[in-house]
Every structure is written in C-alpha cells, then in structure tokens.
C-alpha cells in the first residue's frame, strides 16, 4: 500500500493486529455508520476518488497538524490515479474485514470533508488504532467527528482498547 494514511499499518496488503488474532470476530457485521446534522459517514470506495482527492490535497498542512497525523508520511503529493489505487485497497480491506475506512460527507452538499480509518493496532495491548481528519475548510467539525466516532466505536464495535488521539 503506497504510503497508506491508516494508523500504524505497515504497507502490507493484509494488515493484522499485533496480538495475532482476528481484527474483528467472524460474525461481526460493521454497524451502520453514524450521522449528525452536519455530516455522515459511509464506507470509502472508488466512487469517492475525485472528491476525496480534492478534500485531502486542499488540506495537507491541516491534516499533518491533526492529532495522530503529525509524524505520518501521508498526506503527500500523489496523482488522482495513485489515490484511486489507495481507495481500491481500502475498499478491499473493508470487504476482507482487515480494516474499515469511512469517508465523511457534508450534509449541506454531499461533498467529501474528511475520512476515518479503523485498523488493527501495532500495540498488542490495543485492539484498534483509529485516525480521522477533516478538510481545513471544515476544521470546526474535527472534535465533533472525534466524539461521534469514539462513542460509536465504544457502543457498537467489538473493541476493548482503542488508540485514537483525543481532540
């Protein structure tokens, strides 16, 4: 995976938790993603490529300043085709249940305004590592997104310990 923005994932095509087990139980079905009056989440797919690309390329400095992204290689300049490759890989991870990436869409106009990554942790004491960002033009929604995702994970996901940089 080319400089994947997911948390602490090596560049393997099949990320695995540090504890060696499955990321989610076999019977687990990802719950419907949450929605607010400002935004909603939906699984990231190739259909989001142009809007996703526009969102993060317009906000690279802002994303690097977002908790959890300060020391990451991504975002960095990429082509639209390279972005499509990353989106295909995230969609494949979702289908195979080895990672779950959601796009964040604005209720006002449906545009992509951010992303949420739920992946195995490289820390064996943690179940998942989560990272999220919003585009600079929607920075005021960052804490709301963090809070919503934190509560959603706690209430509906099978994780006991989650790394997710507080806001």
């Amino acid at each position: 995976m080319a400089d994947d923005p997911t948390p602490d994932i090596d560049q393997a095509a099949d990320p695995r938790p540090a504890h060696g087990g499955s990321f989610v139980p076999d019977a687990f079905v990802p719950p419907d993603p949450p929605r607010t009056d400002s935004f909603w989440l939906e699984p990231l797919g190739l259909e989001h490529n142009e809007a996703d690309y526009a969102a993060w390329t317009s906000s690279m400095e802002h994303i690097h300043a977002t908790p959890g992204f300060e020391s990451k290689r991504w975002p960095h300049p990429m082509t639209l085709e390279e972005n499509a490759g990353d989106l295909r890989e995230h969609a494949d991870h979702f289908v195979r249940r080895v990672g779950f990436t959601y796009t964040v869409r604005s209720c006002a106009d449906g545009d992509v305004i951010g992303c949420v990554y739920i992946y195995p942790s490289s820390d064996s004491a943690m179940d998942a590592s989560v990272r999220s960002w919003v585009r600079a033009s929607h920075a005021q929604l960052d804490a709301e997104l963090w809070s919503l995702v934190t509560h959603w994970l706690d209430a509906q996901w099978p994780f006991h310990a989650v790394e997710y940089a507080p806001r």
Side-chain angles (χ1 to χ4, degrees), residues 121-140:
S121 175
S122 61
D123 179 344
S124 62
M126 297 295 202
D127 296 316
S129 185
V130 178
R131 195 165 282 133
S132 65
W133 59 266
V134 295
R135 65 192 311 168
S137 61
H138 290 74
Q140 75 281 4

mmCIF file with all atom_site columns, all heavy atoms in Angstrom, residues 121-140:
data_model
loop_
_atom_site.group_PDB
_atom_site.id
_atom_site.type_symbol
_atom_site.label_atom_id
_atom_site.label_alt_id
_atom_site.label_comp_id
_atom_site.label_asym_id
_atom_site.label_entity_id
_atom_site.label_seq_id
_atom_site.pdbx_PDB_ins_code
_atom_site.Cartn_x
_atom_site.Cartn_y
_atom_site.Cartn_z
_atom_site.occupancy
_atom_site.B_iso_or_equiv
_atom_site.pdbx_formal_charge
_atom_site.auth_seq_id
_atom_site.auth_comp_id
_atom_site.auth_asym_id
_atom_site.auth_atom_id
_atom_site.pdbx_PDB_model_num
ATOM 1   N N   . SER A 1 121 ? -4.185  -2.341 15.582 1.00 0.00 ? 121 SER A N   1
ATOM 2   C CA  . SER A 1 121 ? -3.118  -1.602 16.242 1.00 0.00 ? 121 SER A CA  1
ATOM 3   C C   . SER A 1 121 ? -1.807  -2.373 16.161 1.00 0.00 ? 121 SER A C   1
ATOM 4   O O   . SER A 1 121 ? -1.795  -3.604 16.174 1.00 0.00 ? 121 SER A O   1
ATOM 5   C CB  . SER A 1 121 ? -3.485  -1.382 17.708 1.00 0.00 ? 121 SER A CB  1
ATOM 6   O OG  . SER A 1 121 ? -2.422  -0.769 18.391 1.00 0.00 ? 121 SER A OG  1
ATOM 7   N N   . SER A 1 122 ? -0.719  -1.639 16.109 1.00 0.00 ? 122 SER A N   1
ATOM 8   C CA  . SER A 1 122 ? 0.598   -2.273 16.181 1.00 0.00 ? 122 SER A CA  1
ATOM 9   C C   . SER A 1 122 ? 1.000   -2.520 17.635 1.00 0.00 ? 122 SER A C   1
ATOM 10  O O   . SER A 1 122 ? 2.014   -3.147 17.901 1.00 0.00 ? 122 SER A O   1
ATOM 11  C CB  . SER A 1 122 ? 1.645   -1.406 15.480 1.00 0.00 ? 122 SER A CB  1
ATOM 12  O OG  . SER A 1 122 ? 1.727   -0.156 16.124 1.00 0.00 ? 122 SER A OG  1
ATOM 13  N N   . ASP A 1 123 ? 0.189   -2.048 18.573 1.00 0.00 ? 123 ASP A N   1
ATOM 14  C CA  . ASP A 1 123 ? 0.409   -2.238 20.003 1.00 0.00 ? 123 ASP A CA  1
ATOM 15  C C   . ASP A 1 123 ? -0.435  -3.437 20.450 1.00 0.00 ? 123 ASP A C   1
ATOM 16  O O   . ASP A 1 123 ? -1.668  -3.398 20.367 1.00 0.00 ? 123 ASP A O   1
ATOM 17  C CB  . ASP A 1 123 ? -0.014  -0.974 20.753 1.00 0.00 ? 123 ASP A CB  1
ATOM 18  C CG  . ASP A 1 123 ? 0.151   -1.060 22.252 1.00 0.00 ? 123 ASP A CG  1
ATOM 19  O OD1 . ASP A 1 123 ? 0.305   -2.181 22.789 1.00 0.00 ? 123 ASP A OD1 1
ATOM 20  O OD2 . ASP A 1 123 ? 0.102   0.006  22.893 1.00 0.00 ? 123 ASP A OD2 1
ATOM 21  N N   . SER A 1 124 ? 0.196   -4.477 20.928 1.00 0.00 ? 124 SER A N   1
ATOM 22  C CA  . SER A 1 124 ? -0.532  -5.702 21.287 1.00 0.00 ? 124 SER A CA  1
ATOM 23  C C   . SER A 1 124 ? -1.522  -5.489 22.434 1.00 0.00 ? 124 SER A C   1
ATOM 24  O O   . SER A 1 124 ? -2.402  -6.315 22.640 1.00 0.00 ? 124 SER A O   1
ATOM 25  C CB  . SER A 1 124 ? 0.443   -6.827 21.624 1.00 0.00 ? 124 SER A CB  1
ATOM 26  O OG  . SER A 1 124 ? 1.233   -6.472 22.741 1.00 0.00 ? 124 SER A OG  1
ATOM 27  N N   . ALA A 1 125 ? -1.411  -4.395 23.170 1.00 0.00 ? 125 ALA A N   1
ATOM 28  C CA  . ALA A 1 125 ? -2.348  -4.105 24.251 1.00 0.00 ? 125 ALA A CA  1
ATOM 29  C C   . ALA A 1 125 ? -3.617  -3.415 23.729 1.00 0.00 ? 125 ALA A C   1
ATOM 30  O O   . ALA A 1 125 ? -4.572  -3.224 24.479 1.00 0.00 ? 125 ALA A O   1
ATOM 31  C CB  . ALA A 1 125 ? -1.688  -3.230 25.309 1.00 0.00 ? 125 ALA A CB  1
ATOM 32  N N   . MET A 1 126 ? -3.614  -3.048 22.466 1.00 0.00 ? 126 MET A N   1
ATOM 33  C CA  . MET A 1 126 ? -4.752  -2.333 21.878 1.00 0.00 ? 126 MET A CA  1
ATOM 34  C C   . MET A 1 126 ? -5.426  -3.196 20.824 1.00 0.00 ? 126 MET A C   1
ATOM 35  O O   . MET A 1 126 ? -4.779  -3.992 20.156 1.00 0.00 ? 126 MET A O   1
ATOM 36  C CB  . MET A 1 126 ? -4.290  -1.027 21.229 1.00 0.00 ? 126 MET A CB  1
ATOM 37  C CG  . MET A 1 126 ? -3.688  -0.054 22.199 1.00 0.00 ? 126 MET A CG  1
ATOM 38  S SD  . MET A 1 126 ? -4.975  0.469  23.337 1.00 0.00 ? 126 MET A SD  1
ATOM 39  C CE  . MET A 1 126 ? -4.323  1.977  23.918 1.00 0.00 ? 126 MET A CE  1
ATOM 40  N N   . ASP A 1 127 ? -6.723  -3.011 20.672 1.00 0.00 ? 127 ASP A N   1
ATOM 41  C CA  . ASP A 1 127 ? -7.465  -3.750 19.653 1.00 0.00 ? 127 ASP A CA  1
ATOM 42  C C   . ASP A 1 127 ? -7.451  -3.034 18.309 1.00 0.00 ? 127 ASP A C   1
ATOM 43  O O   . ASP A 1 127 ? -7.392  -3.667 17.265 1.00 0.00 ? 127 ASP A O   1
ATOM 44  C CB  . ASP A 1 127 ? -8.935  -3.918 20.075 1.00 0.00 ? 127 ASP A CB  1
ATOM 45  C CG  . ASP A 1 127 ? -9.073  -4.748 21.326 1.00 0.00 ? 127 ASP A CG  1
ATOM 46  O OD1 . ASP A 1 127 ? -8.402  -5.785 21.428 1.00 0.00 ? 127 ASP A OD1 1
ATOM 47  O OD2 . ASP A 1 127 ? -9.855  -4.348 22.200 1.00 0.00 ? 127 ASP A OD2 1
ATOM 48  N N   . ALA A 1 128 ? -7.569  -1.715 18.355 1.00 0.00 ? 128 ALA A N   1
ATOM 49  C CA  . ALA A 1 128 ? -7.683  -0.943 17.113 1.00 0.00 ? 128 ALA A CA  1
ATOM 50  C C   . ALA A 1 128 ? -6.950  0.378  17.243 1.00 0.00 ? 128 ALA A C   1
ATOM 51  O O   . ALA A 1 128 ? -6.793  0.912  18.337 1.00 0.00 ? 128 ALA A O   1
ATOM 52  C CB  . ALA A 1 128 ? -9.150  -0.684 16.787 1.00 0.00 ? 128 ALA A CB  1
ATOM 53  N N   . SER A 1 129 ? -6.534  0.872  16.106 1.00 0.00 ? 129 SER A N   1
ATOM 54  C CA  . SER A 1 129 ? -5.947  2.198  16.015 1.00 0.00 ? 129 SER A CA  1
ATOM 55  C C   . SER A 1 129 ? -6.827  2.979  15.040 1.00 0.00 ? 129 SER A C   1
ATOM 56  O O   . SER A 1 129 ? -7.111  2.509  13.942 1.00 0.00 ? 129 SER A O   1
ATOM 57  C CB  . SER A 1 129 ? -4.516  2.107  15.504 1.00 0.00 ? 129 SER A CB  1
ATOM 58  O OG  . SER A 1 129 ? -3.903  3.369  15.523 1.00 0.00 ? 129 SER A OG  1
ATOM 59  N N   . VAL A 1 130 ? -7.267  4.137  15.479 1.00 0.00 ? 130 VAL A N   1
ATOM 60  C CA  . VAL A 1 130 ? -8.201  4.932  14.688 1.00 0.00 ? 130 VAL A CA  1
ATOM 61  C C   . VAL A 1 130 ? -7.589  6.294  14.443 1.00 0.00 ? 130 VAL A C   1
ATOM 62  O O   . VAL A 1 130 ? -6.935  6.871  15.314 1.00 0.00 ? 130 VAL A O   1
ATOM 63  C CB  . VAL A 1 130 ? -9.558  5.065  15.432 1.00 0.00 ? 130 VAL A CB  1
ATOM 64  C CG1 . VAL A 1 130 ? -10.524 5.930  14.645 1.00 0.00 ? 130 VAL A CG1 1
ATOM 65  C CG2 . VAL A 1 130 ? -10.144 3.689  15.701 1.00 0.00 ? 130 VAL A CG2 1
ATOM 66  N N   . ARG A 1 131 ? -7.805  6.780  13.261 1.00 0.00 ? 131 ARG A N   1
ATOM 67  C CA  . ARG A 1 131 ? -7.326  8.101  12.889 1.00 0.00 ? 131 ARG A CA  1
ATOM 68  C C   . ARG A 1 131 ? -8.405  8.757  12.048 1.00 0.00 ? 131 ARG A C   1
ATOM 69  O O   . ARG A 1 131 ? -9.091  8.079  11.292 1.00 0.00 ? 131 ARG A O   1
ATOM 70  C CB  . ARG A 1 131 ? -6.017  7.954  12.094 1.00 0.00 ? 131 ARG A CB  1
ATOM 71  C CG  . ARG A 1 131 ? -5.263  9.233  11.982 1.00 0.00 ? 131 ARG A CG  1
ATOM 72  C CD  . ARG A 1 131 ? -3.831  9.004  11.532 1.00 0.00 ? 131 ARG A CD  1
ATOM 73  N NE  . ARG A 1 131 ? -3.074  8.532  12.692 1.00 0.00 ? 131 ARG A NE  1
ATOM 74  C CZ  . ARG A 1 131 ? -2.249  7.506  12.679 1.00 0.00 ? 131 ARG A CZ  1
ATOM 75  N NH1 . ARG A 1 131 ? -2.042  6.826  11.598 1.00 0.00 ? 131 ARG A NH1 1
ATOM 76  N NH2 . ARG A 1 131 ? -1.605  7.168  13.761 1.00 0.00 ? 131 ARG A NH2 1
ATOM 77  N N   . SER A 1 132 ? -8.562  10.058 12.192 1.00 0.00 ? 132 SER A N   1
ATOM 78  C CA  . SER A 1 132 ? -9.527  10.782 11.365 1.00 0.00 ? 132 SER A CA  1
ATOM 79  C C   . SER A 1 132 ? -9.006  12.173 11.058 1.00 0.00 ? 132 SER A C   1
ATOM 80  O O   . SER A 1 132 ? -8.174  12.702 11.778 1.00 0.00 ? 132 SER A O   1
ATOM 81  C CB  . SER A 1 132 ? -10.889 10.878 12.065 1.00 0.00 ? 132 SER A CB  1
ATOM 82  O OG  . SER A 1 132 ? -10.811 11.646 13.253 1.00 0.00 ? 132 SER A OG  1
ATOM 83  N N   . TRP A 1 133 ? -9.529  12.733 9.966  1.00 0.00 ? 133 TRP A N   1
ATOM 84  C CA  . TRP A 1 133 ? -9.192  14.106 9.589  1.00 0.00 ? 133 TRP A CA  1
ATOM 85  C C   . TRP A 1 133 ? -10.414 14.729 8.921  1.00 0.00 ? 133 TRP A C   1
ATOM 86  O O   . TRP A 1 133 ? -11.291 14.024 8.433  1.00 0.00 ? 133 TRP A O   1
ATOM 87  C CB  . TRP A 1 133 ? -7.979  14.165 8.658  1.00 0.00 ? 133 TRP A CB  1
ATOM 88  C CG  . TRP A 1 133 ? -8.115  13.402 7.359  1.00 0.00 ? 133 TRP A CG  1
ATOM 89  C CD1 . TRP A 1 133 ? -7.710  12.126 7.116  1.00 0.00 ? 133 TRP A CD1 1
ATOM 90  C CD2 . TRP A 1 133 ? -8.703  13.879 6.136  1.00 0.00 ? 133 TRP A CD2 1
ATOM 91  N NE1 . TRP A 1 133 ? -8.006  11.771 5.827  1.00 0.00 ? 133 TRP A NE1 1
ATOM 92  C CE2 . TRP A 1 133 ? -8.609  12.838 5.198  1.00 0.00 ? 133 TRP A CE2 1
ATOM 93  C CE3 . TRP A 1 133 ? -9.293  15.076 5.739  1.00 0.00 ? 133 TRP A CE3 1
ATOM 94  C CZ2 . TRP A 1 133 ? -9.092  12.942 3.892  1.00 0.00 ? 133 TRP A CZ2 1
ATOM 95  C CZ3 . TRP A 1 133 ? -9.773  15.188 4.440  1.00 0.00 ? 133 TRP A CZ3 1
ATOM 96  C CH2 . TRP A 1 133 ? -9.667  14.135 3.535  1.00 0.00 ? 133 TRP A CH2 1
ATOM 97  N N   . VAL A 1 134 ? -10.443 16.034 8.957  1.00 0.00 ? 134 VAL A N   1
ATOM 98  C CA  . VAL A 1 134 ? -11.410 16.807 8.188  1.00 0.00 ? 134 VAL A CA  1
ATOM 99  C C   . VAL A 1 134 ? -10.635 17.835 7.387  1.00 0.00 ? 134 VAL A C   1
ATOM 100 O O   . VAL A 1 134 ? -9.540  18.240 7.775  1.00 0.00 ? 134 VAL A O   1
ATOM 101 C CB  . VAL A 1 134 ? -12.483 17.504 9.070  1.00 0.00 ? 134 VAL A CB  1
ATOM 102 C CG1 . VAL A 1 134 ? -13.355 16.467 9.766  1.00 0.00 ? 134 VAL A CG1 1
ATOM 103 C CG2 . VAL A 1 134 ? -11.850 18.442 10.070 1.00 0.00 ? 134 VAL A CG2 1
ATOM 104 N N   . ARG A 1 135 ? -11.203 18.241 6.272  1.00 0.00 ? 135 ARG A N   1
ATOM 105 C CA  . ARG A 1 135 ? -10.505 19.229 5.452  1.00 0.00 ? 135 ARG A CA  1
ATOM 106 C C   . ARG A 1 135 ? -10.450 20.561 6.187  1.00 0.00 ? 135 ARG A C   1
ATOM 107 O O   . ARG A 1 135 ? -11.262 20.836 7.072  1.00 0.00 ? 135 ARG A O   1
ATOM 108 C CB  . ARG A 1 135 ? -11.104 19.322 4.057  1.00 0.00 ? 135 ARG A CB  1
ATOM 109 C CG  . ARG A 1 135 ? -12.488 19.807 3.978  1.00 0.00 ? 135 ARG A CG  1
ATOM 110 C CD  . ARG A 1 135 ? -13.165 19.615 2.612  1.00 0.00 ? 135 ARG A CD  1
ATOM 111 N NE  . ARG A 1 135 ? -12.400 20.065 1.481  1.00 0.00 ? 135 ARG A NE  1
ATOM 112 C CZ  . ARG A 1 135 ? -12.695 19.785 0.218  1.00 0.00 ? 135 ARG A CZ  1
ATOM 113 N NH1 . ARG A 1 135 ? -13.751 19.062 -0.077 1.00 0.00 ? 135 ARG A NH1 1
ATOM 114 N NH2 . ARG A 1 135 ? -11.954 20.247 -0.756 1.00 0.00 ? 135 ARG A NH2 1
ATOM 115 N N   . ALA A 1 136 ? -9.484  21.372 5.850  1.00 0.00 ? 136 ALA A N   1
ATOM 116 C CA  . ALA A 1 136 ? -9.244  22.642 6.545  1.00 0.00 ? 136 ALA A CA  1
ATOM 117 C C   . ALA A 1 136 ? -10.482 23.524 6.567  1.00 0.00 ? 136 ALA A C   1
ATOM 118 O O   . ALA A 1 136 ? -10.762 24.179 7.572  1.00 0.00 ? 136 ALA A O   1
ATOM 119 C CB  . ALA A 1 136 ? -8.069  23.378 5.904  1.00 0.00 ? 136 ALA A CB  1
ATOM 120 N N   . SER A 1 137 ? -11.247 23.517 5.502  1.00 0.00 ? 137 SER A N   1
ATOM 121 C CA  . SER A 1 137 ? -12.453 24.362 5.439  1.00 0.00 ? 137 SER A CA  1
ATOM 122 C C   . SER A 1 137 ? -13.551 23.904 6.391  1.00 0.00 ? 137 SER A C   1
ATOM 123 O O   . SER A 1 137 ? -14.522 24.622 6.606  1.00 0.00 ? 137 SER A O   1
ATOM 124 C CB  . SER A 1 137 ? -13.003 24.397 4.010  1.00 0.00 ? 137 SER A CB  1
ATOM 125 O OG  . SER A 1 137 ? -13.371 23.084 3.591  1.00 0.00 ? 137 SER A OG  1
ATOM 126 N N   . HIS A 1 138 ? -13.386 22.723 6.991  1.00 0.00 ? 138 HIS A N   1
ATOM 127 C CA  . HIS A 1 138 ? -14.366 22.188 7.940  1.00 0.00 ? 138 HIS A CA  1
ATOM 128 C C   . HIS A 1 138 ? -13.713 21.852 9.286  1.00 0.00 ? 138 HIS A C   1
ATOM 129 O O   . HIS A 1 138 ? -14.190 20.996 10.024 1.00 0.00 ? 138 HIS A O   1
ATOM 130 C CB  . HIS A 1 138 ? -15.039 20.946 7.356  1.00 0.00 ? 138 HIS A CB  1
ATOM 131 C CG  . HIS A 1 138 ? -15.950 21.255 6.216  1.00 0.00 ? 138 HIS A CG  1
ATOM 132 N ND1 . HIS A 1 138 ? -15.496 21.604 4.963  1.00 0.00 ? 138 HIS A ND1 1
ATOM 133 C CD2 . HIS A 1 138 ? -17.298 21.290 6.157  1.00 0.00 ? 138 HIS A CD2 1
ATOM 134 C CE1 . HIS A 1 138 ? -16.522 21.823 4.179  1.00 0.00 ? 138 HIS A CE1 1
ATOM 135 N NE2 . HIS A 1 138 ? -17.635 21.646 4.869  1.00 0.00 ? 138 HIS A NE2 1
ATOM 136 N N   . ALA A 1 139 ? -12.628 22.541 9.594  1.00 0.00 ? 139 ALA A N   1
ATOM 137 C CA  . ALA A 1 139 ? -11.853 22.251 10.807 1.00 0.00 ? 139 ALA A CA  1
ATOM 138 C C   . ALA A 1 139 ? -12.701 22.286 12.076 1.00 0.00 ? 139 ALA A C   1
ATOM 139 O O   . ALA A 1 139 ? -12.429 21.557 13.028 1.00 0.00 ? 139 ALA A O   1
ATOM 140 C CB  . ALA A 1 139 ? -10.686 23.230 10.931 1.00 0.00 ? 139 ALA A CB  1
ATOM 141 N N   . GLN A 1 140 ? -13.732 23.101 12.076 1.00 0.00 ? 140 GLN A N   1
ATOM 142 C CA  . GLN A 1 140 ? -14.582 23.211 13.258 1.00 0.00 ? 140 GLN A CA  1
ATOM 143 C C   . GLN A 1 140 ? -15.323 21.900 13.562 1.00 0.00 ? 140 GLN A C   1
ATOM 144 O O   . GLN A 1 140 ? -15.839 21.719 14.665 1.00 0.00 ? 140 GLN A O   1
ATOM 145 C CB  . GLN A 1 140 ? -15.587 24.365 13.100 1.00 0.00 ? 140 GLN A CB  1
ATOM 146 C CG  . GLN A 1 140 ? -16.756 24.088 12.168 1.00 0.00 ? 140 GLN A CG  1
ATOM 147 C CD  . GLN A 1 140 ? -16.458 24.204 10.672 1.00 0.00 ? 140 GLN A CD  1
ATOM 148 O OE1 . GLN A 1 140 ? -15.325 24.439 10.268 1.00 0.00 ? 140 GLN A OE1 1
ATOM 149 N NE2 . GLN A 1 140 ? -17.487 24.060 9.859  1.00 0.00 ? 140 GLN A NE2 1
#
